[in-house]
Amino acid sequence: NAGVMQNPRHLVRRRGQEARLRCSPMKGHSHVYWYRQLPEEGLKFMVYLQKENIIDESGMPKERFSAEFPKEGPSILRIQQVVRGDSAAYFCASSPPDQAASGANVLTFGAGSRLTVL
Amino acid sequence: SQQGEEDPQALSIQEGENATMNCSYKTSINNLQWYRQNSGRGLVHLILIRSNEREKHSGRLRVTLDTSKKSSSLLITASRAADTASYFCATVLRDDKIIFGKGTRLHILP
């Protein structure tokens, strides 16, 4: 069981380029959360997805940011036209369907993707 | 805005002492969890306490929850150098959204 896999681990982009971050949840997990963390700070909620469904995206900026979790393949967090302020660590976490149903979501985190915008 | 706020922001104690961290939150919750993060890594789940529970133990960890005060505490007993990390409380809201606080940076001195 490989756990939650995030790639790339490090990504460098110039202003105006696109960043695409991928997250493969643990086997059997159906729910994915994305968080953003600035140095020495906590995790800021961005979006919560189920397969083919965005459940809550209230933490995600309305422009330039999008997320998906298709029926097949990893969840993708996409940032278009990146700016310096997008530089951060982006963490993905997953939880299984039975926990979500019981309200006892325990998250398993990936190692994060560190985005640097030059 | 952040749902949870931990305090203190940073804590340094001698090895062997107990470490206590507190978390306050704003809205009703399903449960509250504590996570640990070693520098530059993903978070690791430590313990979960449901909204109808008042205290929970796991090894050297003790968690309390006071829903009337909307607060929780995490106690780590007999601290070790390996406990040096950041600790975050996470509140699971009624809609399954999970919100993290800003964390307490714990440093165990040898």
Side-chain angles (χ1 to χ4, degrees), chain A residues 2 11 19 27 47 50 67 71 77-78 80 82-83 95 97 103 110:
Chain A
L11 182 63
K27 190 176 180 182
V47 62
Q50 204 175 3
K71 188 176 178 182
L77 179 66
R78 184 180 175 210
Q80 295 178 287
V82 296
V83 300
S95 66

Side-chain angles (χ1 to χ4, degrees), chain B residues 7-106:
Chain B
D7 95 275
Q9 288 188 329
L11 178 63
S12 291
I13 60 172
Q14 292 293 139
E15 194 168 12
E17 292 182 338
N18 296 342
T20 299
M21 290 158 267
N22 303 295
C23 168
S24 59
Y25 58 92
K26 297 174 185 172
T27 62
S28 296
I29 60 172
N30 274 340
N31 64 75
L32 185 144
Q33 304 174 30
W34 285 88
Y35 287 78
R36 165 197 167 119
Q37 183 181 36
N38 285 87
S39 181
R41 298 196 168 189
L43 279 70
V44 175
H45 178 258
L46 295 176
I47 193 165
L48 177 154
I49 185 165
R50 293 182 183 270
S51 58
N52 60 355
E53 296 176 313
R54 292 295 165 258
E55 189 170 312
K56 203 122 176 234
H57 296 255
S58 175
R60 293 185 296 115
L61 304 180
R62 174 179 167 252
V63 170
T64 63
L65 179 64
D66 186 336
T67 51
S68 66
K69 294 182 180 176
K70 290 186 167 60
S71 68
S72 172
S73 68
L74 171 68
L75 168 69
I76 304 174
T77 60
S79 62
R80 304 167 183 170
D83 295 330
T84 294
S86 291
Y87 292 82
F88 295 90
C89 74
T91 47
V92 182
L93 308 184
R94 302 277 182 229
D95 58 0
D96 295 331
K97 196 165 157 179
I98 302 177
I99 305 295
F100 286 80
K102 292 185 177 179
T104 292
R105 289 187 300 284
L106 176 65

Side-chain angles (χ1 to χ4, degrees), chain A residues 27-31 94-101 104-108:
Chain A
K27 190 176 180 182
H29 284 198
S30 56
H31 293 71
S94 68
S95 66
D98 55 335
Q99 286 187 3
N105 287 15
V106 170
L107 298 179
T108 301

